[in-house]
Amino acid sequence: MNKIFLPLAALSTSVFVVGTAEYLIAGMLPQVGADLGIPEGTAGQSVTAYALGVVIGGPVMTMLTSRVPRKRLAVGLMLLFAAGSAVCALAPAFGVLLTGRVLSSLSHAAFLAVAMVVTTGLVPPEKTGTAVATVASGFAVATLLGVPLGSLLGQSAGWRAPFWALTVLALAATALLAAVMPEQPAPATRVRDELRVVTRRPVLLAIAATAVGFSGVTTVFTYLTPLLARIAHFSPAAVSGLLLAYGAGSVLGNLAAGKLTDKSLSTTVRGVFGGLTGVLALVPFAVLWQPTAVLAVLGLGLLATATIAPLQGLILRHAGAAPTLAVAVNAGAFNLGAAAGSALGGLMVAAGALRWTGLAGASMTAAGLALTYAVLPRANAGRRPAARRQDDRSHPRGVLTRRR
C-alpha cells in the first residue's frame, strides 16, 4: 500500500506547492507595487508572466527533458521552482521579480506532466482516474488553503514572506520526492513521437475542450466576490465563508470525478460539462435570492475542478504511449482557458453586465461539451469492455516499463 500511497502523497504535496504559487501574488499586488515603486497594474503583469511561462515554457521544458529519468526530472523541476521562488523573495526590482516568476512557471506544466505520467504508472489502468484526481487535488487544496493563507501571511509579514515559505515548502517537497518516488526510466519515445501525438486530431480537440470548457468557470469565478457582494448583497464575512465552501467543494468534486472517470470517462466528462453549463446559466437568476445563491456557489465549487480528471483522461486515452508533451500542453490549456475566461468576464463587468457573467460562462462550457462529442463520439461511449481493454494496451504506463 505504501508503495503507491507515499509517492501519490508526495506528488500531490508538490502539486499543492506549485498550485499555490500561481495566484498567490494576485492578493498582494498593492504591497508589491508599493515596495518596488511600480503601479499596481504593472505588478499584475507578474501573474501574466507566470501564465505565459506555463503555456509556452512548459511544453518547451517537457521536450528538452524528455529523455531524463522521471524521478530525477521531478526532483530537478521542484528545485527549479524553489530557485524561482527564492529569486522572487529577494527581488530588488520588478524585472528580477518577473524573472523569478518565469523560472517558477517553467517547472509548472512540465512537473504536472511528469506527475500525471508517473501516477498512471503506479496504478492499474482501471484506477487511473482516481489516482490522477488524488494528485490533482493538490491544486484544489491550494485554492482552498494555500492562496488565502499565503495572502494573509503577505499582509501581516510583507509580500516577500510567502515566497520564502514557498521556497521552504518546495525544498521539503523535493526531499519527499527524492525519498519515496520510485525510480523510473525515461520514456523510450522520442521528441518527434511526442510531437506527432500532440498534433493528432483527437488530442488537439481534447486540448481545445479543456481551454474552452474551463474558461467558462473562470468567467464567473474571477468576479465571484463582487457578484456575491453587489448583486446577492452578502456581507464580506459571508462572502469569505462562501469562497471557503467553494474551495471545499472543489476538493470533494475533484476526488468524486476521479472515481467516476474510472467507471466511465465519456459519461463523466459530459456530465461535468453539462452540469457546469446548467449551474452557470442559473447563476444570474440564483444570485437574486441568497439561499439559491449559496446553492449555486456550492454547485459551482463541486463541478469546477471535477473537470481535471476526465479531461486528463481524454488526453491519456488518445495520447497512447507518448503522453508527456500532450499532458503538458493540456496543463497550459487550463491556464489559457483561465486567462480567456477572466478576460471575457472583465469585458462584461466593464460593460455593466456583472450579473450576467454566468450566461457567458455557460456558453463556453457548452462549447466545451460539444467538443467532447467530437473527441469521444457517441458510438464509443457504449463500447464493450473488450474494446476498452484494447485501449488499455496503449496505456501510458507502458512508456515507463518498456524500451524499444
Side-chain angles (χ1 to χ4, degrees):
M1 180 67 178
N2 284 344
K3 289 184 178 179
I4 296 176
F5 174 76
L6 290 178
L8 290 183
L11 290 168
S12 182
T13 300
S14 301
V15 168
F16 163 77
V17 176
V18 173
T20 298
E22 185 168 9
Y23 296 112
L24 173 63
I25 199 169
M28 304 183 295
L29 295 181
Q31 297 98 309
V32 173
D35 185 39
L36 298 181
I38 55 175
E40 188 174 327
T42 301
Q45 296 306 309
S46 60
V47 179
T48 305
Y50 192 99
L52 289 175
V54 173
V55 174
I56 301 172
V60 173
M61 284 289 293
T62 300
M63 288 189 289
L64 291 176
T65 58
S66 62
R67 304 311 299 270
V68 179
R70 304 296 88 178
K71 180 175 181 176
R72 189 185 308 169
L73 178 56
V75 169
L77 289 170
M78 284 306 295
L79 286 175
L80 176 63
F81 178 85
S85 298
V87 169
C88 290
L90 292 167
F94 182 60
V96 180
L97 175 64
L98 282 183
T99 300
R101 291 287 287 171
V102 171
L103 280 176
S104 294
S105 71
L106 291 177
S107 69
H108 182 116
F111 181 82
L112 182 60
V114 172
M116 293 296 106
V117 174
V118 168
T119 296
T120 60
L122 292 172
V123 299
E126 65 272 13
K127 296 292 185 182
T128 298
T130 300
V132 167
T134 299
V135 173
S137 65
F139 279 122
V141 177
T143 302
L144 174 64
L145 295 176
V147 174
L149 291 178
S151 296
L152 285 175
L153 176 62
Q155 291 167 12
S156 60
W159 68 269
R160 298 176 189 274
F163 284 105
W164 283 122
L166 279 178
T167 303
V168 172
L169 288 172
L171 292 174
T174 302
L176 187 59
L177 288 171
V180 305
M181 187 173 167
E183 296 286 350
Q184 292 180 341
T189 53
R190 295 159 293 186
V191 171
R192 67 168 174 260
D193 298 321
E194 297 277 354
L195 288 170
R196 189 179 300 118
V197 164
V198 84
T199 54
R200 288 178 185 168
R201 182 175 179 273
V203 174
L204 289 174
L205 286 172
I207 291 169
T210 297
V212 174
F214 193 68
S215 67
V217 175
T218 55
T219 299
V220 173
F221 180 72
T222 305
Y223 302 95
L224 189 58
T225 295
L227 182 69
L228 294 173
R230 299 177 197 171
I231 308 299
H233 303 295
F234 282 103
S235 67
V239 170
S240 298
L242 285 172
L243 292 178
L244 189 65
Y246 174 98
S250 295
V251 176
L252 296 175
N254 171 62
L255 295 174
K259 293 185 179 296
L260 292 172
T261 298
D262 288 331
K263 297 181 183 297
S264 175
L265 170 60
S266 58
T267 300
T268 303
V269 72
R270 289 168 185 156
V272 169
F273 271 138
L276 271 174
T277 300
V279 170
L280 289 168
L282 289 173
V283 164
F285 311 99
V287 293
L288 296 179
W289 189 41
Q290 288 189 345
T292 53
V294 171
L295 293 176
V297 171
L298 294 177
L300 188 58
L302 284 169
L303 292 167
T305 56
T307 55
I308 296 176
L311 287 171
Q312 293 290 14
L314 277 181
I315 295 296
L316 293 170
R317 170 173 288 192
H318 290 287
T324 311
L325 179 59
V327 174
V329 173
N330 201 47
F334 274 106
N335 284 73
L336 190 61
S342 298
L344 176 59
L347 289 174
M348 295 196 67
V349 171
L354 172 63
R355 178 187 164 191
W356 303 102
T357 52
L359 293 183
S363 68
M364 300 304 289
T365 53
L369 175 61
L371 284 169
T372 67
Y373 283 93
V375 184
L376 291 170
R378 275 189 184 276
N380 290 342
R383 288 185 303 175
R384 292 177 295 179
R388 184 174 179 181
R389 285 196 297 272
Q390 178 68 29
D391 282 349
D392 290 341
R393 282 197 283 272
S394 67
H395 192 270
R397 68 185 302 187
V399 175
L400 307 172
T401 58
R402 184 174 68 247
R403 282 190 177 271
R404 293 179 180 176

